[in-house]
Amino acid sequence: MLAFTAPREGGDGFDAYHRLYSVGADVERTDGPFHARVHIRRFQRMVLYERDLGGLLHRRDPRRVGRDGFDHLVLHLLLDGDLAAGPPGAEHRLRPGEIMLVNTAQPHWTRVGRARLLSVALAREIVEPAVGALDALHGAVLPGAAAGLLRDFLLSLVRRADNLPDVAVEGAADTATELLGLGLKAATAAPVARRVSAAAARPLRRTRAEAYVDTHLLDPRLDAATVAAGIGTSRSRLYEDFADEGGVARYVQRRRLERLRDALRRPGETRSASTLAFACGFIDESHSNRAFRAAFGVPPGRYRSIVHRARLDRSDHGPIESVFERWISELY
C-alpha cells in the first residue's frame, strides 16, 4: 500500500501532492482549504484509491490525454462531501452513493470542495468484454440504487484489503467489473433512477461509425465516404456526428496516431517507428511524423525512447510517485 497525508491545518503539502498526481493529471488548488489523505492499493489489473481531499482541481485536457497514453476506466464513488466531475461541458455534481465512470483516454476533470471517496482504476481489457466500449461509458453516472452492490463490495475491499488471500487479490478486478455490469443493467432497466450525462448518451450512429473506423483502421483508403457507406448513412450527417473532431478524417487520423502510440509503448515491439506507422494505416512517413509530433509533443522515435527509459526507471522502491506511476502503467 502507498500512503500520503497532507495536514488540514498547519504546513501545506500541496507540492508533494502535486508531484504524486502529476503522474495522471494537472492539479490545481481551488479557493477552499487544501488537505489530502490518500491510501493506494494495487490488485491484479486494478488500483484502488481511498481518498479524503479538499480544495483541489484535477484536470486532463486533450494534450495531456494524448501525451500520457492512459487507456483505462476509473470509477469515482462519493462517500460524502462535495465532488463534481465529468467530461468538459457535461460535468455532474455527485451525490453520496453515486458512482461516476471516466474513460481516461478522453478529457475530463474533477473538482473537490471537501470529499471522501473511493476511486477504482480498471484495465480496459477486463472492462470492455463485460460492459462494452469505454467511449460509451465516459461520464455516465450510476445512481445510488443501481450502484449499491458495487459500493458495498468496494467498501468491504478497503476494510479487508490488508488481510486478503492471494486468490481474492487476483479476482477483485473481475468481481468489481461484474458488479459494475449489474449496476449498468439496473440503471438502464429503471428509467426513474437513470442519471447519465449527455456525453455518455452519444447517438447510436456515432458509436457505430467509431466501431467501423476501428475495424477498418489499417485500410489506407478509409475515408468519410467509406464510413458513411459502411454504416448506411450520409456523409453530411456523419460530419455532424464528428463535428467535435473536425470531421471523420481527423477522427481517423487520431485513432491511427493512438494506435501508433500504443505500438511504440508495447514492450518487446522491435519494428521501426516508420514500419509501425505504415502498419497503422499511414501511407506517408513524413506526414505521420509531423502528425505524431503535433499530437504528442515529440516525434515517434523520441517518444519510444522516453517510454523505454521511464519503464527501466520504475520499481517498487523509491519515491511514492515513481511506484504509483508503475502501478498505473500496468493497467495499459
Side-chain angles (χ1 to χ4, degrees):
M1 182 183 76
L2 302 177
F4 174 91
T5 301
R8 289 176 181 268
E9 299 179 1
D12 186 78
F14 177 76
D15 287 344
Y17 181 85
H18 185 277
R19 288 195 301 273
L20 174 64
Y21 270 86
S22 65
V23 170
D26 298 317
V27 183
E28 304 170 20
R29 296 186 64 164
T30 61
D31 295 336
F34 162 74
H35 72 273
R37 181 181 65 83
V38 183
H39 290 164
I40 309 173
R41 295 177 173 88
R42 177 176 59 172
F43 297 82
Q44 185 170 313
R45 311 307 290 158
M46 181 175 85
V47 177
L48 174 63
Y49 314 73
E50 181 184 7
R51 300 189 285 179
D52 185 346
L53 304 173
L56 286 166
L57 173 66
H58 294 186
R59 188 195 311 273
R60 285 176 57 76
D61 61 21
R63 176 54 66 92
R64 180 60 189 259
V65 167
R67 186 172 72 245
D68 62 32
F70 281 13
D71 192 22
H72 57 273
L73 182 71
V74 173
L75 314 177
H76 293 307
L77 164 62
L78 180 63
L79 301 177
D80 62 65
D82 177 26
L83 173 69
E91 300 85 359
H92 175 78
R93 188 172 297 278
L94 289 175
R95 300 175 181 177
E98 291 184 336
I99 296 177
M100 172 167 281
L101 285 61
V102 171
N103 174 13
T104 59
Q106 296 187 39
H108 62 276
W109 62 262
T110 304
R111 182 185 296 274
V112 184
R114 186 211 62 79
R116 288 193 311 116
L117 66 152
L118 298 180
S119 296
V120 182
L122 289 163
R124 176 188 287 266
E125 66 186 42
I126 66 171
V127 174
E128 289 196 326
V131 302
L134 298 194
D135 284 356
L137 300 176
H138 187 48
V141 177
L142 287 182
L149 287 174
L150 179 55
R151 179 190 64 235
D152 292 348
F153 172 70
L154 295 177
L155 288 169
S156 178
L157 199 58
V158 167
R159 290 195 300 268
R160 303 171 185 273
D162 295 334
N163 299 299
L164 287 175
D166 290 344
V167 64
V169 172
E170 294 171 359
D174 290 332
T175 301
T177 301
E178 183 176 352
L179 294 175
L180 171 61
L182 291 175
L184 289 168
K185 289 179 181 178
T188 302
V192 69
R194 190 185 304 132
R195 297 173 56 91
V196 180
S197 75
R202 292 183 174 183
L204 176 61
R205 187 172 57 247
R206 167 74 182 249
T207 302
R208 291 171 57 214
E210 290 177 352
Y212 186 92
V213 168
D214 278 353
T215 302
H216 298 84
L217 196 61
L218 305 189
D219 183 352
R221 298 167 297 178
L222 183 65
D223 58 15
T226 306
V227 176
I231 66 170
T233 190
S234 67
R235 290 184 60 180
S236 60
R237 184 166 293 176
L238 196 63
Y239 183 81
E240 292 177 0
D241 295 338
F242 285 85
D244 60 328
E245 297 276 354
V248 177
R250 285 184 178 272
Y251 177 77
V252 170
Q253 176 170 287
R254 176 169 72 81
R255 292 297 295 133
R256 284 176 173 155
L257 289 170
E258 291 170 349
R259 186 75 63 88
L260 175 57
R261 178 198 62 195
D262 294 344
L264 292 168
R265 296 180 64 91
R266 192 178 302 131
E269 176 59 76
T270 58
R271 287 176 292 176
S272 68
S274 59
T275 300
L276 291 172
F278 291 129
C280 292
F282 288 101
I283 58 175
D284 183 275
E285 181 181 357
S286 61
H287 168 69
S288 67
N289 287 342
R290 288 194 304 270
F292 193 96
R293 183 165 192 161
F296 305 125
V298 293
R302 175 63 176 157
Y303 181 85
R304 169 181 262 172
S305 298
I306 292 171
V307 171
H308 179 68
R309 185 171 63 251
R311 185 174 288 118
L312 292 177
D313 291 342
R314 292 168 183 156
S315 72
D316 281 345
H317 304 284
I320 182 174
E321 56 266 25
S322 297
V323 180
F324 181 37
E325 182 179 7
R326 179 184 178 187
W327 289 6
I328 292 298
S329 72
E330 291 172 350
L331 296 175
Y332 56 94

